[in-house]
Amino acid sequence: MAAAGGSTDTSVRKRRVDSSKAETNSGNSSRDNGANTSKQDPEKEKKLPSLQTGTYWLTRVVLLRAVAFIYFVAFTVAYNQNKQLIGEHGLMPCKNYLNSVKRYVGGKIGMAALAYTPSILWFLDWSDMDANLDGIALSGMALSGFVLVTGMANMVIMVVLWVLYHSLVNVGQLWYSFGWESQLLETGFLAIFLCPAWTLSQVPRCCPPSLICIWTFRWLIVRIMLGAGLIKIRGDKCWRDLTCMDYHYETQPVPNPMSYYMHRSPWWIHHFETLSNHFIELIVPFFTFLGRRMCMVNGVIQILFQVVLIVSGNLSFLNWLTIVPSLACFDDASLGFLFHSGCGARKAVLEIQSDDAAGRTPKPNKGMLIRRVVNVSLGVLIGYLSIPVVMNLLSSKQVMNTSFDPLRIVNTYGAFGSITKERTEVIFQGTLSQDPKDPEAIWEEYQFLCKPGDIYRRPCLISPYHYRLDWLMWFAAFQTYEQSEWVIHIAGRLLANDSAVLSLLDQNPFQGIDAPRWVRGEHFRYKFSQPGTASAAQGKWWLRKRIGAYFPPVDLEGLRGYFQSRNWPHPHIPLNRN
């Protein structure tokens, strides 16, 4: 019995030992498996879920940031130049313009005045117009900077930006007469409907991006391209015989350093560029309507096309702005590479797509239903306002850069319907000589910030920034001073060493000395120097030849009657002249 009992105890102990060994092995095995699992986790993390096609949450973030960037540039330009151009003592004071509109509509500031010139300046104190203009520009810079940095916006912010820029464009007169002003206003108007009404979030779950709004951006890029392409085909003969690019780089408003070298490309490259331009502007836009992949192809081609134009010249923020609606050709899946895996916006979109796939889409609330009505209304409005625009595109008498409604919601576009075959420039010159006809008189040249003048100065590189006066001088050069009377206004300001106008120039030859007694405008023909020639070796970017006088020598006393007849304030005559 004792032996049997011992045997039983031994067997029990063996089973316990075996059990503990098994537990130990099991524990070791579990730890090993745990270690293996931990080693596999990074591999699983690398295989993150991919974004699905057909949604536009990230597209909205990219679009809003792109629009905000253009707004920021535009308001920066306004802040730096508005006082000199349309300010209290500007070349074309907006106060005078508003007063003329007020008289035209019956002498009252009411709906008629607001409809004729939509601007919040009607409601501000006109005693310090410079402060008003600065306030509008700084407010626009602050709001657009916020959207650019955060990628968040609501309808309130975007409406305010749109109203602020509208207020400047509508009183900007000649200085805001460029086609991209209307294009920015139309793009900014569409951007309002990308956003929730109040919420500030990159991915507001309760306000999904509207496919209607996305298509309004796509419709915009289609119209921009077709307008530009058709105006070329119907315009200058050189677009049809493929020779326009032989001249464009040299004669465009404000060339940059690359323009110098691209102008010297072989003739067959220029022909290819012109033919490619026709294909991109007249054929590629229709890819938008051929499904997701072809729409993306259109987006890629249009963006690359605009990048080439940016590289080849200083066309303000026009090409940067034209990239914006092209971004609507891409959905979340195609733009996901712009957002890193840890990005909150990307994670939020993945969660939304996962919930939608699992059927956990939240039921539409009252606000979402109202928003759908708003989106449909937007589509109907854009469709209705597009009717005259489409008719204009189909017309043999097509006009470009025109608005058919006072708010510039849907506009016509186009650029370079005709190409100038030679470049001419107006050069302001001043002298201290008492007799402008004296052969010994020394005439000193004023240099603008960017436009060609000094033949040794390298062409500037400023895009997307915009020097408004430099651009208008390009137009003035192939007109007469009678057609561009503001040129004489500038001459009068230079005779008085006016600080406002001089701040728009790069070099004042009379800085720190007496103001000039006489100022004249000389007309020159400019051509790029040939790389590798003696002229280029001497550092000359340009060669020029005098055509003749653009306007004769003028002095302050002689301009008194001219200024009075146009209600321009006559500059103060320096004391040393009396």
Side-chain angles (χ1 to χ4, degrees), residues 226-228 230-231 234 392-393 395-400 413:
L226 289 179
L230 290 171
I231 202 71
R234 292 169 175 154
N392 178 69
L393 286 174
S395 172
S396 59
K397 298 180 180 179
Q398 176 192 359
V399 293
M400 64 181 189
Y413 302 104

Side-chain angles (χ1 to χ4, degrees), residues 142-212:
L143 288 174
S144 58
F146 170 80
V147 178
L148 176 62
V149 171
T150 65
M152 298 185 295
N154 55 30
M155 295 184 81
V156 176
I157 292 176
M158 300 311 292
V159 166
V160 171
L161 284 170
W162 186 69
V163 169
L164 290 176
Y165 201 64
H166 234 304
S167 297
L168 296 179
V169 171
N170 290 323
V171 301
Q173 306 160 80
L174 180 69
W175 313 108
Y176 280 79
S177 60
F178 305 104
W180 53 78
E181 314 294 358
S182 295
Q183 187 175 328
L184 177 52
L185 288 174
E186 179 171 352
T187 306
F189 179 80
L190 298 179
I192 294 171
F193 298 89
L194 282 172
C195 313
W198 305 104
T199 307
L200 276 177
S201 172
Q202 284 190 340
V203 186
R205 185 69 176 91
C206 62
C207 185
S210 166
L211 192 58
I212 293 175

Side-chain angles (χ1 to χ4, degrees), residues 427-430 436 443 491 518-522 546 551-554:
I427 304 298
F428 285 96
Q429 298 176 342
W443 292 90
W518 299 87
V519 166
R520 70 183 183 184
E522 291 288 280
R546 184 177 182 271
F551 64 84
V554 294

Side-chain angles (χ1 to χ4, degrees), residues 57 196-197 204-210 356 361-376:
W57 300 92
R205 185 69 176 91
C206 62
C207 185
S210 166
D356 290 345
T361 305
K363 294 181 179 180
N365 55 32
K366 184 178 179 180
M368 296 174 70
L369 293 175
I370 293 175
R371 187 54 185 264
R372 289 181 183 178
V373 173
V374 171
N375 292 333
V376 172

Side-chain angles (χ1 to χ4, degrees), residues 228-542:
L230 290 171
I231 202 71
K232 291 180 176 68
I233 288 295
R234 292 169 175 154
D236 202 317
K237 179 185 175 183
C238 69
W239 287 113
R240 296 188 293 277
D241 62 24
L242 306 183
T243 59
C244 273
M245 300 309 291
D246 294 346
Y247 312 99
H248 168 73
Y249 297 117
E250 183 177 73
T251 63
Q252 63 178 307
V254 184
N256 70 11
M258 282 301 298
S259 309
Y260 176 84
Y261 298 101
M262 296 177 78
H263 176 66
R264 297 302 179 184
S265 300
W267 66 266
W268 57 269
I269 290 183
H270 289 321
H271 282 211
F272 174 75
E273 289 170 337
T274 310
L275 193 61
S276 299
N277 184 95
H278 294 328
F279 175 72
I280 292 170
E281 292 184 340
L282 295 172
I283 305 298
V284 174
F286 292 102
F287 292 2
T288 306
F289 309 104
L290 300 180
R292 176 178 178 267
R293 290 186 179 179
M294 293 303 290
C295 184
M296 290 170 57
V297 169
N298 173 48
V300 170
I301 292 176
Q302 299 300 349
I303 291 173
L304 291 177
F305 181 48
Q306 298 307 316
V307 170
V308 170
L309 295 177
I310 290 168
V311 169
S312 67
N314 293 299
L315 298 175
S316 181
F317 52 77
L318 171 63
N319 305 118
W320 300 78
L321 177 59
T322 306
I323 288 175
V324 176
S326 302
L327 297 171
C329 295
F330 305 95
D331 58 14
D332 291 340
S334 53
L335 293 178
F337 72 96
L338 296 175
F339 299 81
H340 60 83
S341 58
C343 175
R346 184 187 179 105
K347 287 182 177 179
V349 173
L350 287 171
E351 290 176 6
I352 291 172
Q353 291 183 345
S354 177
D355 290 344
D356 290 345
R360 295 191 296 270
T361 305
K363 294 181 179 180
N365 55 32
K366 184 178 179 180
M368 296 174 70
L369 293 175
I370 293 175
R371 187 54 185 264
R372 289 181 183 178
V373 173
V374 171
N375 292 333
V376 172
S377 301
L378 171 67
V380 173
L381 176 65
I382 298 301
Y384 174 74
L385 294 178
S386 294
I387 294 174
V389 174
V390 173
M391 297 301 294
N392 178 69
L393 286 174
L394 298 176
S395 172
S396 59
K397 298 180 180 179
Q398 176 192 359
V399 293
M400 64 181 189
N401 300 327
T402 301
S403 301
F404 294 98
D405 63 271
L407 296 180
R408 310 190 195 208
I409 295 174
V410 179
N411 312 289
T412 67
Y413 302 104
F416 297 108
S418 62
I419 295 291
T420 52
K421 306 305 186 294
E422 62 179 21
R423 179 176 203 94
T424 58
E425 293 288 348
V426 177
I427 304 298
F428 285 96
Q429 298 176 342
T431 182
L432 294 171
S433 174
Q434 294 188 5
D435 182 7
K437 296 180 181 180
D438 183 357
E440 302 297 322
I442 298 175
W443 292 90
E444 303 284 352
E445 294 188 5
Y446 291 87
Q447 299 298 327
F448 282 71
L449 289 166
C450 205
K451 91 174 190 68
D454 180 1
I455 59 176
Y456 290 94
R457 188 174 70 170
R458 176 181 61 84
C460 65
L461 183 63
I462 56 166
S463 178
Y465 196 77
H466 178 37
Y467 292 125
R468 297 186 180 278
L469 179 57
D470 289 51
W471 263 77
L472 266 297
M473 288 301 299
W474 178 74
F475 286 103
F478 46 82
Q479 297 174 338
T480 65
Y481 75 86
E482 290 90 351
Q483 295 170 303
S484 304
E485 292 183 340
W486 52 270
V487 171
I488 304 301
H489 197 172
I490 292 175
R493 297 292 190 90
L494 295 179
L495 284 165
N497 264 353
D498 181 77
S499 59
V501 169
L502 288 172
S503 68
L504 297 173
L505 305 184
D506 181 52
Q507 181 182 337
N508 173 21
F510 301 94
Q511 180 74 34
I513 59 176
D514 292 341
R517 291 181 176 274
W518 299 87
V519 166
R520 70 183 183 184
E522 291 288 280
H523 210 186
F524 286 89
R525 182 178 294 110
Y526 273 68
K527 298 185 69 173
F528 277 137
S529 64
Q530 179 76 39
T533 62
S535 298
Q538 294 169 7
K540 295 180 181 178
W541 288 83
W542 297 94

